[in-house]
Amino acid sequence: MITYEFSSKERSLKEIATFATLSNGFISVRGDPEVSKSEFGTFVSGVYCYTPIFYRELVNLPRITPIYLTIDGEPFRPISGETIIKLDTFNGIVYYESILESSIGKLKYESSRIVHKTFKGIFAEEFRFRPINFAGRVCIRLPIELSVSNKSVPPQVHVKLFKIVESDSSNDSYLHVRTEDEVYDVYFKMFAESNDLQLRPYSDENEIGFLGCIDVDPKQAIKVAKKVIVAKEKSTLNKYSEIAKEKTYQELLDTHTTAWQKEWKQIGLVIEGDIDFARYLYFNTFHLLQMYDDESDVFLLPARGLHGYGYRGHVFWDADIYSLPFYLFFKPSAAKAMLKYRCKCLQAAKEYATKSNFKGARFPWESADDGYEATPRIVPLDLTGSKTVLIETGELEQHITADVAYAVDLYYTFTEDEQFMEECGLKIIFETARFWSSRVKYDQEKNAYVIEDVIGPDEYHVHVNNNFYTNLLAKHNLELGVKYFELSRQKNNWRKIAEGLTSEEEVQNWRRISQKIYLPCLTNGICEEFEGYLQLPDFKVPEGCIGEKCLPEKIRENIPKTRLIKQADVLAGMFLLKEKFTKETIAQNFDYYFPRTTHASSLSLPMYAAVLAYLGRTEESFKLLKLAASADLGNLYGNVEDGFHVGSAAGVWTAILFGLAGIHIKNEKPTLDPKKISNVKMAFNVTIKGQNVRVEL
């Protein structure tokens, strides 16, 4: 297992803060140095609020990490370039080291922090400092900061999305806040402990916490611990407050690290032969694991995790298509909780379909806690609003509805969770099939059903007809409706549910439509991404180019009018439903589309790597896989400060699990088709249909 060391000499602190984010799926704190101010506070999973432009977004709640040292009223500040932050992924600990200085002198500062893996409401940190070249009276302030807000657009605009309901510093520091829309309450309580000095509670209009002062000299090291409890209910606050009171920081640390070590042992991940790839994969796996709260019924997984403002904490299709497989095989309960989030939002999806003049359930392109469409329509680029960008994905990128149905079927295939299907899975399958049956249009000239005016995964081309991916997944969704209706005839518990949701007549209509959905494939084996795509001017991306920056300016300004695509589109559909295509057809389409892909989406490289692995082109696959795995640590897309690339990190695992390991079901039994990579060996444990399986590559 690897410890990651980041230096402020080599990286910006905003990047490091994303890398060093700690979470337990409930509380999340970025790795900002506690001795400096930060715009980031605390994220609590599922706590959203109405907000301008973005509908609902994760609330930036009070900041619980700060520790400030002063002498004679003057603050100690980190010396530029002297900050080291270490992330211990094996134990789930962040370490901070720095030299702090004031005009009076310097001191050596060290700390460690955890977001407790087992006790979901507890954040704890311990710090030590020792004067280097002075003696004097140092005062310590341990606040919860109340002045944080949500950064909006343009970036000069900030919106405060919570209000103070109650604060009390008469004994322990207690705080109760409520989101501005009156939907969520969040409670905080802080404790401080030290054998070296006495700390007393305090509060003012911007802070609540503890403070104390002590005379120090270079021979003396001072140690203090800060423990903060965060909860959405008072009863939970009281429960974890008792634990935090009873246990020292070291005791909390011990139980936390034991839980993390158990997690890694269960996964049994071993990587040999390529240290860089190992570093990337351990790092990504750690961040994926720490976002799941096993005490929550639903798992709401934002596209950039609980690591930053990216996409405002909204959930996209990559949760269902790119991320769910990781949890399905390593934490099946997490995969179920992800789908239960979709279950929770099913009524909103049905309302969305009705509002759009369709039937069944239509899932939104971006969603938050309530399941309604959260995609911003017009985003201002300046304070006057005279410069704006129009976003049409919310209206047109409708394939997500079929993606959710695909995920339900995938989950059932590898778990045989009958109870989930009875409670919700069948409803999702049937309601989404109903949506597509109302969304298609019969084209007499083609003698086929078409789907007009959409955006596929390739978001460069908008308002297109018969996008291959959308049509293929819609066809599959309708086939799933037929499949599960027929299965329900063999299962007494299912039969009653199915008959209450649909009818033989409706299912036969689904069958008829699915058999005649138009797929724009040519006799030469190439499937056209959408109608008219092959009539566009051709251009190939320079080899090794990631993103749009290396394209000629003239091309860059006219991408939608060329055959350039943003990410795997045709190939994504072919990989997800690989049993419908020959390997020769998939290879032909890969060789055509890959040179025309900019990979401007972080979801692109993992999918192409998965395709290559499936085709047996493992050396090419591994090259892409390693590059994809570096998305965060390598800051491949230049935006890591906005949060962790969840879909990309999990997508790498999708490529490993389905591509390199070749996990599939044959004759209702799990089967592996492992492929070798030169000089690289991997092994890990997965769960398939309740059975533990050791995979070795």
Side-chain angles (χ1 to χ4, degrees), residues 9 140 169 173 319 331 532 538:
K9 288 181 181 177
I140 301 165
S169 58
S173 291
K331 304 287 287 186
D538 200 9

Side-chain angles (χ1 to χ4, degrees), residues 458 460-461 533 537-552 555-556 559 562-568 590-601 604-605 608 624 627:
D458 162 32
Y460 288 153
H461 300 94
Y533 170 82
D538 200 9
F539 185 83
K540 293 184 180 180
V541 176
E543 190 172 347
C545 176
I546 303 295
E548 298 150 8
K549 58 186 179 296
C550 47
L551 301 176
I555 294 294
R556 196 163 59 242
I559 288 177
T562 73
R563 292 188 215 174
L564 287 176
I565 65 174
K566 187 176 183 179
Q567 62 176 302
F590 178 93
D591 292 336
Y592 182 83
Y593 282 104
F594 185 77
R596 294 167 174 82
T597 308
T598 66
H599 311 294
S601 166
S604 187
L605 290 170
Y608 278 123
L624 291 188
L627 186 60

Side-chain angles (χ1 to χ4, degrees), residues 335-447:
K336 182 175 184 175
M338 289 176 72
L339 293 175
K340 288 184 79 171
Y341 163 68
R342 295 300 190 187
C343 296
K344 176 188 170 187
C345 299
L346 183 57
Q347 182 56 39
K350 291 171 70 174
E351 292 175 24
Y352 194 18
T354 301
K355 184 180 177 182
S356 308
N357 295 317
F358 298 118
K359 296 178 181 179
R362 173 188 176 182
F363 284 94
W365 178 242
E366 298 184 32
S367 57
D369 55 328
D370 64 0
Y372 291 98
E373 183 63 74
T375 308
R377 177 69 175 169
I378 298 176
V379 177
L381 300 178
D382 61 9
L383 289 171
T384 67
S386 58
K387 295 180 180 179
T388 61
V389 60
L390 176 67
I391 299 177
E392 297 187 278
T393 50
E395 181 183 347
L396 301 177
E397 200 151 355
Q398 297 169 14
H399 63 79
I400 188 169
T401 295
D403 298 331
V404 173
Y406 178 93
V408 169
D409 176 59
L410 187 72
Y411 173 77
Y412 179 70
T413 298
F414 285 95
T415 64
E416 295 184 337
D417 186 343
E418 303 271 339
Q419 183 182 10
F420 170 75
M421 296 303 291
E422 291 166 16
E423 291 176 354
C424 171
L426 292 175
K427 292 177 187 175
I428 289 179
I429 295 291
F430 294 148
E431 293 290 358
T432 52
R434 184 171 291 134
F435 167 77
W436 290 112
S437 70
S438 68
R439 179 63 178 85
V440 299
K441 175 182 173 184
Y442 183 69
D443 186 314
Q444 287 190 332
E445 191 174 312
K446 289 184 173 67
N447 188 28

Side-chain angles (χ1 to χ4, degrees), residues 518-667:
Y518 178 67
L519 293 176
C521 293
L522 308 179
T523 54
N524 64 358
I526 300 299
C527 292
E528 191 175 30
E529 186 184 299
F530 56 86
E531 279 193 279
Y533 170 82
L534 291 174
Q535 276 68 59
L536 295 172
D538 200 9
F539 185 83
K540 293 184 180 180
V541 176
E543 190 172 347
C545 176
I546 303 295
E548 298 150 8
K549 58 186 179 296
C550 47
L551 301 176
E553 184 177 353
K554 188 175 181 181
I555 294 294
R556 196 163 59 242
E557 292 174 352
N558 292 282
I559 288 177
K561 297 178 181 178
T562 73
R563 292 188 215 174
L564 287 176
I565 65 174
K566 187 176 183 179
Q567 62 176 302
D569 190 307
V570 169
L571 271 299
M574 287 185 170
F575 181 76
L576 295 179
L577 297 170
K578 57 184 82 67
E579 67 279 0
K580 294 179 182 290
F581 303 91
T582 65
K583 285 191 174 182
E584 290 73 21
T585 296
I586 296 174
Q588 275 182 283
N589 282 272
F590 178 93
D591 292 336
Y592 182 83
Y593 282 104
F594 185 77
R596 294 167 174 82
T597 308
T598 66
H599 311 294
S601 166
S602 63
L603 301 178
S604 187
L605 290 170
M607 185 59 77
Y608 278 123
V611 172
L612 283 171
Y614 172 68
L615 294 174
R617 293 157 64 171
T618 52
E619 302 308 313
E620 293 175 80
S621 173
F622 183 71
K623 184 179 178 181
L624 291 188
L625 201 63
K626 184 175 176 179
L627 186 60
S630 73
D632 284 274
L633 280 178
N635 200 6
L636 197 60
Y637 294 92
N639 58 4
V640 77
E641 66 183 53
D642 295 333
F644 178 62
H645 292 83
V646 177
S648 175
V652 168
W653 270 110
T654 296
I656 293 170
L657 294 163
F658 291 128
L660 292 176
I663 297 175
H664 62 285
I665 299 294
K666 186 175 183 180
N667 299 325

